[in-house]
Amino acid sequence: MDDTIYNHYIAIDWAASNMAIARMTKKSNKITVIDVPSDIEELKLYLDRLKGTKVLTLEETTTSQWLYTELKEKVDKIVVCDPHRNKLLNDGPKNDKIDASKLVQLLRAGLLKEIFHTNDNFLLLRRLVSGYEDLVKAGVRLKNQRYSLLKACGNQEVVGENAFVLGCLNRQIGLYEEEKSAYEKEFLRLAKKYPAIRHQKSLPGIGDINAVKVVARVVSPFRFADKGHYCSYAGLIKHEKISGKKSYGKRTPRYCRQLKDVYKTGVSAAIGGNNPINDYYEYLVAGGEPEYDARHKACRRLATLSLGVFKSGEKYQPYKRSRQTDNVTVK
């Protein structure tokens, strides 16, 4: 949240049947709340009638991206907030009007944690990636069921009802393989279309699918102030808990599991190859680092390089710095 003072502070609790709208102004602490049937056009008219600067907030839900897109031009700023951080909403009685009232108080006090939303095309890639991951999970489940059935039959000829079930599983797995192949072709097409995806592919251990996952999840690398914030978002660092100058261990932050999986699998693919990530890993191991810690540090190195490539808009060039140094030396 920024320190800008707005004329109107608006919070919306949106549901399929009704919408509760709470409003405060910069001049008054009085909260005005209305609860009316959900209607996006009526909501737009309500916002148009408010004169002066407006900031609007709503909680992250399945409809938040749609509301963000529909209302973005009607207000000066939209804050899609993290519901896990809004503990005030859990206190006392609860209904839509009360939730909206509490939410607008948090908005005016600057106590909301904003969740990134945009109309960027890269955000639409998340649906594609989500569909692919759901498909893979379903395919793994089918293959596990087939494996269990064959093992239960002693890996011998399957007959009777078991043969019928096996035939159904084989047909479903065949369809899964076709759909998976179609997704992979689409990922390859996107890699050719978007330079940002091609640049991610230039990193060690990052292929077509993982490159699309990084771009789809990050969308804009400039929303991260530095590599520390990015590694925290990717779940590659822990936050230390300190009170009274005493440490109470470390806590894993809420993070993007998709990104963590990308960098962990990327490092696993890079280790053993001829690339800077493997060189860094072997350097750490040779220096006495346990293999687990060395892999984890290599993940952070890969994530840092990934963020840098995204921000620079160029492909990864591992020896660019050393060549520049050689040129300076020659001069």
Side-chain angles (χ1 to χ4, degrees):
M1 289 288 295
D2 56 35
D3 297 326
T4 305
I5 298 176
Y6 296 89
N7 295 109
H8 301 278
Y9 296 82
I10 309 146
I12 300 174
D13 191 309
W14 180 278
S17 58
N18 68 297
M19 57 182 181
I21 307 171
R23 181 172 64 90
M24 298 177 71
T25 67
K26 70 176 182 180
K27 296 181 179 180
S28 172
N29 291 327
K30 182 181 177 181
I31 303 174
T32 304
V33 189
I34 59 175
D35 193 347
V36 295
S38 296
D39 188 321
I40 191 66
E41 296 303 326
E42 288 295 325
L43 178 56
K44 289 179 180 179
L45 289 174
Y46 172 84
L47 295 173
D48 285 337
R49 286 194 291 266
L50 299 176
K51 304 302 180 183
T53 55
K54 294 162 280 189
V55 58
L56 180 148
T57 188
L58 51 99
E59 288 192 315
E60 173 75 348
T61 64
T62 53
T63 59
S64 56
Q65 179 60 31
W66 170 68
L67 288 170
Y68 177 90
T69 303
E70 291 289 332
L71 304 176
K72 189 174 185 298
E73 302 302 323
K74 300 297 180 178
V75 295
D76 296 276
K77 183 176 181 179
I78 292 184
V79 178
V80 181
C81 61
D82 184 356
H84 294 277
R85 290 281 295 271
N86 299 338
K87 299 301 182 183
L88 177 63
L89 271 64
N90 296 329
D91 183 55
K94 176 179 174 61
N95 60 46
D96 294 337
K97 294 178 71 173
I98 292 174
D99 286 352
S101 298
K102 292 178 178 179
L103 200 57
V104 78
Q105 292 178 66
L106 292 172
L107 173 65
R108 189 175 177 189
L111 298 177
L112 296 177
K113 180 182 180 182
E114 187 172 359
I115 293 179
F116 178 74
H117 275 259
T118 179
N119 290 333
D120 195 295
N121 288 333
F122 286 157
L123 195 69
L124 301 178
L125 297 180
R126 292 185 181 181
R127 294 180 184 175
L128 180 69
V129 171
S130 178
Y132 174 77
E133 291 184 334
D134 290 342
L135 177 69
V136 170
K137 289 177 183 178
V140 170
R141 186 183 68 250
L142 289 170
K143 290 184 177 182
N144 286 339
Q145 289 175 341
R146 182 175 64 178
Y147 174 78
S148 298
L149 177 62
L150 291 173
K151 196 166 184 180
C153 296
N155 292 323
Q156 298 177 358
E157 184 179 357
V158 181
V159 296
E161 288 76 9
N162 287 335
F164 175 80
V165 174
L166 180 62
C168 291
L169 288 173
N170 284 333
R171 287 192 294 273
Q172 292 179 70
I173 291 172
L175 290 173
Y176 155 71
E177 296 291 352
E178 290 180 12
E179 294 298 325
K180 184 170 180 286
S181 177
Y183 267 103
E184 290 171 351
K185 289 179 181 178
E186 180 64 11
F187 288 141
L188 183 60
R189 185 189 71 82
L190 291 171
K192 294 178 179 179
K193 179 179 179 181
Y194 295 111
I197 298 176
R198 294 199 301 274
H199 298 162
Q200 291 296 317
K201 284 178 58 180
S202 66
L203 290 161
I206 304 295
D208 291 326
I209 297 173
N210 279 347
V212 174
K213 286 182 178 180
V214 170
V215 173
R217 180 52 56 183
V218 175
V219 181
S220 173
F222 301 101
R223 63 191 179 103
F224 299 99
D226 52 45
K227 63 181 181 182
H229 285 86
Y230 186 67
C231 286
S232 176
Y233 179 69
L236 300 175
I237 61 175
K238 294 185 177 182
H239 297 161
E240 191 169 11
K241 298 183 292 182
I242 299 177
S243 180
K245 298 184 178 180
K246 181 179 179 180
S247 176
Y248 291 88
K250 295 183 178 181
R251 175 177 57 196
T252 301
R254 292 178 63 239
Y255 62 90
C256 176
R257 297 181 181 276
Q258 196 176 76
L259 276 184
K260 185 174 184 178
D261 180 67
V262 165
Y263 296 125
K264 286 176 72 71
T265 56
V267 166
S268 296
I271 290 176
N274 183 20
N275 58 75
I277 294 297
N278 180 66
D279 295 342
Y280 180 61
Y281 169 78
E282 291 184 347
Y283 165 78
L284 293 173
V285 172
E289 287 274 0
E291 290 187 5
Y292 174 82
D293 290 339
R295 284 197 302 272
H296 201 66
K297 288 184 177 180
C299 286
R300 289 199 291 269
R301 173 64 64 87
L302 182 58
T304 301
L305 293 174
S306 175
L307 180 65
V309 163
F310 210 159
K311 284 187 174 182
S312 69
E314 298 179 358
K315 288 187 176 181
Y316 176 53
Q317 301 180 50
Y319 304 110
K320 182 177 181 179
R321 178 177 296 180
S322 61
R323 285 200 300 268
Q324 290 175 341
T325 304
D326 291 342
N327 290 338
V328 171
T329 303
V330 171
K331 290 180 180 179

